[in-house]
């Protein structure tokens, strides 16, 4: 045990250390040891990371902060790390080991790196288990963060394949840094592919294709509207992943001509084609459909749009959703929470509008519905389309919506059975 502890804490001391006559130290620190070539040095550092941390790094970065008398190396993790967990670092003080998992050496966003450093000026805490938090440590942390940031920027020029590999694993760290760093914002814009209605592409590619960037705040809303938006020539980006909306809101700093805004689903309906001529079946369908959906605060409208295989599109009224959520919160609240809601109530709100169920006149199913004449059958068909549109758009399905779906499909089955008996 004495040999192990001597090697662990004193193995890098600049003086000979022996236990029972057996040397346990090295002549120099690993990142300053001489090697015949840069490739040999990189291989040696990778081996050192494997022995020290148990992983083979994606890359190795030399670290130097003169004010802190600090030198060392940062090893980039080859696997995804939890952004909420601060990585511990191996820190030596005048080449005596201070700790194997010292926190707060790097900025929070650099959770994808683990360091081994030696310092002569940073101070330890009284327990000698971590570094004393002072202005010098803060300045050192900033300098080390700048070194890692500069390495990322340089990769886009010197080694794009390595940058792609890095982003595939650690994009969350880079995206979090892009929230307040313009160089990282440009790197994300130029290199990180986002999910768009035209397929995966970088924000820079999107900006070259469209002067307006519209985004959805959730992945479910994007999946519902992407195909429809693409068919109308509207560029749409999925903003449902971490940091994406905040990053897009800052894009004007690197793409000044680009307009960025959240997609209003009702905007899509303005791109759809109106019916070209009066149709008795359409009038009948909308009249009975309105009655069937009145309790759902939804009105059916008829438009022609692509893709034709989509029979109906549910366009939610956001104000109506917020009003419903507020009412549900009041109904579920206890006396104390109800008082809080009353305290923040700003008074009567304007009456919200209605949801829309847009029936696609280019769809064969809707074309068939135009031939229906029985009011009850029309109501069942419209309710079935309403439920299908909710499911297609991944909208919340409550007890009432489930009951409506069951009722409409049961009713349609009964109509089919009666038609079969009549034959």
């Amino acid at each position: 045990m004495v040999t192990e502890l001597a090697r662990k804490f004193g193995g890098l001391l600049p003086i000979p250390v022996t236990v029972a006559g057996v040397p346990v130290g090295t002549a120099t620190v690993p990142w300053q040891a001489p090697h015949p070539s840069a490739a040999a040095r990189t291989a040696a550092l990778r081996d050192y990371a494997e022995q020290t941390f148990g992983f083979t790094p994606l890359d190795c970065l030399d670290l130097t902060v003169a004010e802190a008398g600090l030198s060392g190396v940062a090893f980039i993790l080859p696997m995804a790390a939890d952004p909420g967990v601060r990585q511990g670092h191996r820190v030596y003080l005048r080449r005596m080991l201070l700790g194997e998992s010292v926190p707060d050496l790097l900025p929070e966003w650099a959770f994808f790196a683990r360091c081994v450093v030696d310092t002569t000026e940073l101070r330890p805490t009284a327990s000698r288990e971590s570094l004393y938090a002072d202005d010098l440590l803060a300045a050192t942390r900033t300098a080390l963060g700048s070194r890692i940031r500069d390495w990322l920027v340089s990769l886009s020029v010197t080694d794009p394949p390595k940058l792609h590999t890095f982003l595939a694993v650690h994009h969350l760290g880079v995206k979090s840094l892009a929230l307040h760093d313009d160089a990282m914002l440009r790197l994300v814009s130029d290199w990180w592919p986002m999910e768009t209605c035209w397929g995966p592409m970088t924000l820079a590619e999107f900006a070259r294709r469209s002067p307006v960037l519209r985004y959805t705040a959730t992945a479910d809303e994007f999946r519902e509207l992407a195909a429809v938006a693409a068919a109308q020539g509207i560029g749409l980006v999925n903003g449902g992943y971490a940091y994406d909306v905040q990053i897009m809101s800052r894009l004007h700093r690197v793409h000044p001509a680009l307009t960025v805004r959240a997609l209003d689903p009702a905007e899509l309906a303005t791109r759809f084609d109106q019916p070209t001529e009066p149709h008795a079946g359409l009038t009948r369908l909308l009249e009975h459909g309105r009655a069937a959906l009145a309790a759902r605060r939804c009105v059916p409208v008829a438009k022609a749009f692509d893709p034709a295989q989509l029979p109906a599109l549910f366009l939610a009224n956001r104000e109506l959703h917020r009003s419903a959520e507020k009412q549900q919160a009041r109904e579920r609240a206890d006396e104390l929470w109800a008082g809080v809601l009353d305290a923040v109530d700003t008074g009567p709100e304007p009456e919200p509008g209605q949801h829309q169920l847009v029936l696609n006149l280019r769809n064969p199913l809707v074309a068939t519905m135009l031939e229906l004449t029985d009011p009850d059958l029309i109501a069942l068909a419209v309710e079935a389309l309403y439920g299908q549109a909710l499911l297609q758009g991944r909208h919340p399905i409550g007890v009432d919506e489930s009951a409506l779906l069951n009722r409409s499909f049961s009713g349609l089955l009964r109509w089919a059975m009666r038609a079969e008996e009549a034959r």
Side-chain angles (χ1 to χ4, degrees), residues 273-275 282 302-305 311 359-364 366-367 370:
D273 295 333
Q274 298 283 356
L282 178 58
K303 300 286 183 70
F305 60 92
L359 305 177
N360 188 359
L361 295 176
R362 293 178 184 162
N363 181 266
V366 175
L370 297 180

Side-chain angles (χ1 to χ4, degrees), residues 24 82 108 114 177 190 199 242 320 336 346 350 376 378-379 398 408:
V24 295
D82 185 350
E108 290 185 7
R114 295 195 69 180
L177 181 56
D190 292 347
L320 188 55
L336 176 61
T346 57
D376 293 335
I378 292 174
S408 62

Side-chain angles (χ1 to χ4, degrees), residues 224-278:
E224 177 191 12
L225 301 177
V228 179
Q232 316 313 312
I234 296 176
L236 188 62
V237 177
N238 185 357
Y241 299 107
Y243 306 122
D244 283 357
V245 170
Q246 298 96 312
I247 286 173
M248 287 186 283
S249 68
R250 296 189 74 242
L251 275 181
H252 66 277
R253 302 181 67 89
V254 294
H255 299 290
L258 184 66
T259 300
V260 178
R261 65 170 181 262
L263 175 72
D264 182 355
E267 182 181 358
L268 288 175
T270 65
R271 302 290 187 96
F272 297 162
D273 295 333
Q274 298 283 356
T276 56
E277 55 187 31

Side-chain angles (χ1 to χ4, degrees), residues 295-311:
R296 313 248 58 84
R297 302 288 297 275
C298 181
V299 57
V301 295
K303 300 286 183 70
F305 60 92
D306 291 322
Q309 62 267 28
L310 184 68

